[in-house]
């Protein structure tokens, strides 16, 4: 066997091992099938209770998600008969994010072949994607963030393939149709598409082919605005702006450095021994190396993608925050791994180990976890209520628990009266005041999620119950509590 063949076999063995390991990490979370947490339950309720057409309109529980992502999920729930099986439904809702989370690793491979000098650099990037804790987490969560990652990578790859000198009008039309459909599944891909067209416009090559590429996307954008944005996004915008108010970029960009630091911390959270200063340094070095290699197209499209998102944030159209911009993480990873693309590759890899080894440590710790959960035990809690409740008992919900209860109660249809405890802050109401107004009787206090990161809301409910009622049953975890009590 020649030396070149040996290197080739080693490369493909390492590639297969990384892909397999990345898949196994995501599969572990997926097949564990933990209960949906608050945001997942909110979106899940809309899937189960709204028609296909209504998914283009305002959603309940202040939810917004790409319409075709929702419709395809609803079709899968119908095919698997998830409407009649609580565990199968949870698993089905998460299938598209799971699929996209794994396909992102493959899609990154194709992009790496386009922009790196060495296939080993592509391998380094796939490893960081495969072992990243945030990407692993969202690959088994019923939200469109892992879909954003995949579809943004697809958009990037399409633009990297565009060659006005060699591509035919037929191929350009195919590229255009792909780009036209992406935003219907992914909000994040929209920023890549805008950046891609801006980058291509700077070239000023072959205007007829550029127009061929552009027109179907414009037609799709017009339909998207008319059929979805006006119906759904506009009606939810006030609530979303209120929820994300601290995560929008100020018009003077004064909070941009803070948000950037916050986002990078989030992208690499749960990775021990990872000084973020190294991440920032690697991104800067990668940027310089791309300039040195004259890979201006990728630099332009990546910078413009981030720029358009930031500008959209200043106009309060889209928050510049954590999971909402997860689609930017692969772009950063491309810059981070560029250091292994230098001629003296062994030096690059030695330096790169500063980033890679902490990821490997994380995956080792992750594999040791016996049961994966998202801090929300709502499925088990509703099941407990359904098995032992009587019709005269009232279900009392905290503000953060309504979506969980109503989603899981879809499978049980409990006839119990529901009391929703949500203080009116404009009237200076407190949780205790509302609870004190409850008449004598039998109650379940259902607390599956707490908006307060220190879980103070749940503590207030529990403390009140212990002081004012006769507790017949109580179970409590870090972020969830269920209490059965009688008020005299």
């Amino acid at each position: 066997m020649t030396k070149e063949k040996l290197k080739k076999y080693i490369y493909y063995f390492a590639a297969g091992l990384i892909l397999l390991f990345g898949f196994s990490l995501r599969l572990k979370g997926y097949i564990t099938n933990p209960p949906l947490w608050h945001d997942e339950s909110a979106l899940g309720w809309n899937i189960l209770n709204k028609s296909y057409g209504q998914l283009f309109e305002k959603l309940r529980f202040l939810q917004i998600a790409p319409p075709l992502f929702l419709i395809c999920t609803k079709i899968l729930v119908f095919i698997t008969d998830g409407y009649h099986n609580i565990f199968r439904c949870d698993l089905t809702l998460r299938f598209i994010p799971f699929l996209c989370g794994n396909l992102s690793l493959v899609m990154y491979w194709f992009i790496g072949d386009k922009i790196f000098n060495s296939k080993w650099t592509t391998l380094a990037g796939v490893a960081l994607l495969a072992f990243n804790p945030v990407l692993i987490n969202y690959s088994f969560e019923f939200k469109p963030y892992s879909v954003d990652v995949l579809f943004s990578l697809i958009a990037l790859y399409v633009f990297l393939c565009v060659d006005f000198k060699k591509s035919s009008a037929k191929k350009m039309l195919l590229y255009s149709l792909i780009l036209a459909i992406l935003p219907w599944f992914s909000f994040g891909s929209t920023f890549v598409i805008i950046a891609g067209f801006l980058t291509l416009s700077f070239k000023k090559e072959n205007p007829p082919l550029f127009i061929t590429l552009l027109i179907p996307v414009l037609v799709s954008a017009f339909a998207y605005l008319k059929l979805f944005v006006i119906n759904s996004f506009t009606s939810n915008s006030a609530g979303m702006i209120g929820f994300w108010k601290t995560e929008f970029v100020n018009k003077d960009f004064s909070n941009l450095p803070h948000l950037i630091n916050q986002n990078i911390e989030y992208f690499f959270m749960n990775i021990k021994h990872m000084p973020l200063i190294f991440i920032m340094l690697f991104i800067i070095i990668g940027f310089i190396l791309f300039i040195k290699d004259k890979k201006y197209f990728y630099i332009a499209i990546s910078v413009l993608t981030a720029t358009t998102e930031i500008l959209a944030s200043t106009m309060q159209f889209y928050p510049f925050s954590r999971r909402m911009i997860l689609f930017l993480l692969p772009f950063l990873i491309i810059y981070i791994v560029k250091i292994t693309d230098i001629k003296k590759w062994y030096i690059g890899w030695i330096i790169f180990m500063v980033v890679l080894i902490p990821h490997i440590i994380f995956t080792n710790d992750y594999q040791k976890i016996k049961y994966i959960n998202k801090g929300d035990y709502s499925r088990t809690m509703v099941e407990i209520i359904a098995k032992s409740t009587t019709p005269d008992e009232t279900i009392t919900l905290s503000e953060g628990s309504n979506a969980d209860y109503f989603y899981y109660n879809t499978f049980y249809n409990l006839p119990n009266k529901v009391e929703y405890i949500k203080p009116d802050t404009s009237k200076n109401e407190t949780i205790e005041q509302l609870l004190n107004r409850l008449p004598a009787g039998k109650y379940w206090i259902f607390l599956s999620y707490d908006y307060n990161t220190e879980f103070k809301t749940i503590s207030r409910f529990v403390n009140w119950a212990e002081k004012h009622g006769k507790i017949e049953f109580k179970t409590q975890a870090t972020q969830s509590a269920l209490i059965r009590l009688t008020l005299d």
Side-chain angles (χ1 to χ4, degrees):
M1 183 182 295
T2 65
K3 188 176 179 180
E4 288 301 317
K5 279 191 176 182
L6 180 60
K7 285 183 178 179
K8 185 177 180 181
Y9 285 132
I10 292 173
Y11 171 78
Y12 283 114
F13 175 77
L17 200 62
I18 289 172
L19 287 175
L20 184 63
F21 196 32
F23 173 73
S24 69
L25 293 171
R26 288 155 176 77
L27 183 64
K28 179 178 181 176
Y30 181 67
I31 62 176
T32 298
N33 196 22
L36 303 190
W37 76 281
H38 177 73
D39 267 8
E40 292 179 284
S41 297
L43 206 53
W45 185 93
N46 286 282
I47 291 291
L48 296 183
N49 293 280
K50 287 187 176 289
S51 67
Y52 291 100
Q54 288 173 329
L55 294 176
F56 283 85
E57 300 171 359
K58 181 180 180 180
L59 302 181
R60 190 181 178 189
F61 303 119
L62 199 63
Q63 292 296 302
I64 298 177
L68 289 191
F69 165 69
L70 297 176
I71 287 172
C72 288
T73 301
K74 188 173 179 68
I75 291 171
L76 287 176
V77 172
F78 172 76
I79 291 172
T80 60
D81 194 28
Y83 290 98
H84 300 101
N85 187 294
I86 195 169
F87 293 95
R88 187 164 61 236
C89 187
D90 286 359
L91 206 61
T92 302
L93 290 176
R94 289 169 168 152
F95 178 74
I96 292 178
F98 172 69
L99 180 65
C100 290
N102 285 285
L103 289 178
S104 296
L105 305 181
V106 180
M107 194 69 242
Y108 182 94
W109 213 287
F110 290 107
I111 290 171
D113 287 342
K114 289 280 186 182
I115 61 177
F116 294 128
N117 301 323
S118 168
K119 58 187 179 183
W120 290 95
T121 302
T122 300
L123 190 64
V126 173
L128 291 193
L129 285 175
F131 305 154
N132 182 274
V134 178
L135 293 176
I136 292 170
N137 175 65
Y138 284 115
S139 67
F140 60 96
E141 182 164 305
F142 178 49
K143 294 293 284 184
Y145 307 125
S146 69
V147 182
D148 283 340
V149 172
L150 174 62
F151 281 58
S152 295
L153 287 173
I154 292 173
L156 174 60
Y157 181 73
V158 168
F159 283 112
L160 290 172
C161 288
V162 169
D163 188 339
F164 290 129
K165 295 179 180 178
K166 298 179 181 179
S167 298
S168 64
K170 185 177 180 181
K171 182 176 286 189
M172 207 60 62
L173 182 60
L174 175 62
Y175 291 155
S176 182
L177 293 175
I178 293 172
L179 294 174
I181 199 70
L182 295 182
W184 296 85
F185 287 92
S186 161
F187 295 144
S189 65
T190 304
F191 298 107
V192 185
I193 293 169
I194 293 171
F197 276 108
L198 287 173
T199 304
L200 289 176
S201 68
F202 296 150
K203 289 186 172 184
K204 299 179 181 179
E205 294 178 349
N206 202 327
L209 281 185
F210 180 83
I211 293 172
T212 301
L213 185 68
L214 180 62
I215 287 178
V217 176
L218 290 178
V219 172
S220 176
F222 176 79
Y224 193 72
L225 289 170
K226 186 173 180 61
L227 297 177
F228 176 68
V229 175
I230 293 175
N231 291 334
S232 178
F233 184 83
T234 304
S235 56
N236 268 327
S237 60
M240 294 301 291
I241 289 172
F243 183 83
W244 291 103
K245 58 185 177 182
T246 61
E247 308 301 321
F248 291 108
V249 177
N250 295 337
K251 287 185 166 56
D252 61 359
F253 304 108
S254 58
N255 65 337
L256 184 57
H258 166 72
L259 290 175
I260 290 174
N261 184 68
Q262 174 183 280
N263 291 329
I264 292 179
E265 283 185 358
Y266 181 79
F267 288 162
F268 297 95
M269 70 175 184
N270 296 329
I271 298 179
K272 300 175 183 177
H273 318 296
M274 171 65 81
L276 292 179
I277 187 66
F278 284 116
I279 295 293
M280 300 294 292
L281 184 62
F282 276 41
I283 292 171
I284 294 170
I285 292 172
F287 185 84
I288 294 170
L289 290 174
F290 269 116
I291 292 176
K292 184 179 178 181
D293 285 351
K294 298 181 180 180
K295 297 291 179 69
Y296 302 126
F297 187 86
Y298 174 71
I299 293 172
I301 197 171
S302 59
V303 170
L304 286 171
T305 296
T307 301
T308 53
E309 205 292 323
I310 290 170
L311 291 176
S313 184
T314 61
M315 294 182 282
Q316 297 191 327
F317 290 151
Y318 198 88
F320 186 68
S321 177
R322 292 167 291 190
R323 63 186 185 271
M324 299 298 292
I325 61 168
L326 191 63
F327 64 92
L328 293 178
L329 178 54
F331 289 84
L332 296 182
I333 287 176
I334 287 172
Y335 281 113
I336 291 169
V337 300
K338 180 62 177 174
I339 197 168
T340 66
D341 209 23
I342 59 178
K343 289 182 179 180
K344 294 184 178 180
W345 59 270
Y346 54 91
I347 296 177
W349 273 91
I350 291 172
I351 298 172
F352 176 66
M353 286 299 162
V354 174
V355 176
L356 183 60
I357 290 175
H359 281 76
I360 295 173
I361 293 172
F362 160 76
T363 59
N364 181 59
D365 294 340
Y366 178 82
Q367 289 286 60
K368 293 177 182 178
I369 299 173
K370 292 183 178 180
Y371 179 76
I372 296 171
N373 69 78
K374 294 179 180 286
D376 191 323
Y377 297 90
S378 50
R379 184 172 64 205
T380 305
M381 290 161 57
V382 174
E383 185 179 13
I384 291 171
I385 295 174
K387 286 181 178 179
S388 54
T389 190
T390 56
D392 61 329
E393 293 180 301
T394 299
I395 313 295
T396 305
L397 307 176
S398 64
E399 183 180 355
S401 304
N402 60 335
D404 285 333
Y405 177 77
F406 287 120
Y407 167 72
Y408 280 115
N409 192 41
T410 302
F411 299 93
Y412 294 104
N413 293 314
L414 299 177
N416 304 67
K417 180 184 176 182
V418 174
E419 285 283 351
Y420 184 37
I421 305 298
K422 182 181 179 181
D424 187 342
T425 53
S426 65
K427 298 179 181 179
N428 294 319
E429 284 182 338
T430 66
I431 290 171
E432 289 78 9
Q433 286 175 341
L434 295 182
L435 289 172
N436 287 333
R437 295 173 191 170
L438 295 175
K442 298 179 179 180
Y443 291 86
W444 288 92
I445 298 183
F446 182 88
L447 311 165
S448 61
Y449 180 76
D450 196 337
Y451 286 119
N452 185 281
T453 56
E454 297 178 355
F455 315 118
K456 291 182 178 179
T457 302
I458 287 179
S459 295
R460 292 172 68 180
F461 272 91
V462 172
N463 291 337
W464 181 90
E466 291 173 344
K467 291 178 182 178
H468 295 83
K470 179 183 177 182
I471 295 178
E472 300 174 16
F473 172 84
K474 176 185 172 185
T475 181
Q476 187 170 358
T478 304
Q479 190 173 285
S480 298
L482 179 65
I483 301 171
R484 189 180 196 180
L485 79 162
T486 302
L487 296 178
D488 296 324

